Amino acid sequence: QVQLVESGGGLVQPGGSLRLSCAASGSIYSINAMGWYRRGPGKERELVAVISRRTTTNYADFVKGRFVISRDNAKNTVYLQMNNLKPEDTAVYYCKFDAVRTWVLGPFNDYWGQGTQVTVSS
């Protein structure tokens, strides 16, 4: 069974940086896109950034120039480097892996991480 385990959240001052990681455990054959989403207080969950299997990236406008998404296919891990953090970045951050196959002819399934809290405050 595939599980996503996130790490790297915490409390940081405005202007600071954090690096989130999300690693998949279990037997995995392939993963298509990997992404990060967030849900702020009283808000809907929104896309932050996504990276394709060929490492094409796409960012929400509110993080462009500040956040960088990357992936390590050998480790089945996605990262989110967050720089110049703002109080409005405070949210629970979730990773999502799209179209995961556990073997070559297996079905495609999507998986979510459990979420990690990021709080930006002085």
Side-chain angles (χ1 to χ4, degrees), residues 6-14 16-21 36 67 80 82 85-87 89-93 114-122:
E6 299 165 0
S7 60
L11 173 64
V12 63
Q13 293 186 344
S17 298
L18 284 175
R19 189 190 193 211
L20 304 182
S21 299
W36 288 95
F67 292 9
L80 186 67
M82 305 185 294
L85 282 160
K86 305 175 181 180
D89 294 318
T90 295
V92 178
Y93 284 72
Q114 80 284 357
T116 186
Q117 177 70 47
V118 171
T119 302
V120 185
S121 175
S122 55

Side-chain angles (χ1 to χ4, degrees), residues 94-109:
Y94 301 87
C95 60
K96 179 174 181 268
F97 287 6
D98 292 336
V100 178
R101 264 182 160 174
T102 56
W103 62 291
V104 63
L105 296 178
F108 294 100
N109 291 297

Side-chain angles (χ1 to χ4, degrees), residues 43-122:
K43 298 181 180 180
E44 298 289 323
R45 186 157 56 187
E46 58 188 355
L47 174 68
V48 175
V50 63
I51 183 168
S52 73
R53 185 168 178 80
R54 291 183 171 84
T55 68
T56 300
T57 58
N58 191 27
Y59 296 92
D61 287 342
F62 52 78
V63 303
K64 283 182 179 177
R66 300 189 298 125
F67 292 9
V68 178
I69 188 170
S70 60
R71 63 189 284 171
D72 185 334
N73 291 329
K75 296 181 179 180
N76 295 323
T77 298
V78 65
Y79 305 95
L80 186 67
Q81 177 66 43
M82 305 185 294
N83 302 318
N84 191 21
L85 282 160
K86 305 175 181 180
E88 51 264 41
D89 294 318
T90 295
V92 178
Y93 284 72
Y94 301 87
C95 60
K96 179 174 181 268
F97 287 6
D98 292 336
V100 178
R101 264 182 160 174
T102 56
W103 62 291
V104 63
L105 296 178
F108 294 100
N109 291 297
D110 298 342
Y111 295 92
W112 287 90
Q114 80 284 357
T116 186
Q117 177 70 47
V118 171
T119 302
V120 185
S121 175
S122 55

Side-chain angles (χ1 to χ4, degrees), residues 23-45:
S25 64
S27 177
I28 292 178
Y29 174 75
S30 66
I31 303 169
N32 191 3
M34 298 177 175
W36 288 95
Y37 294 73
R38 72 185 189 186
R39 178 180 285 140
K43 298 181 180 180
E44 298 289 323
R45 186 157 56 187

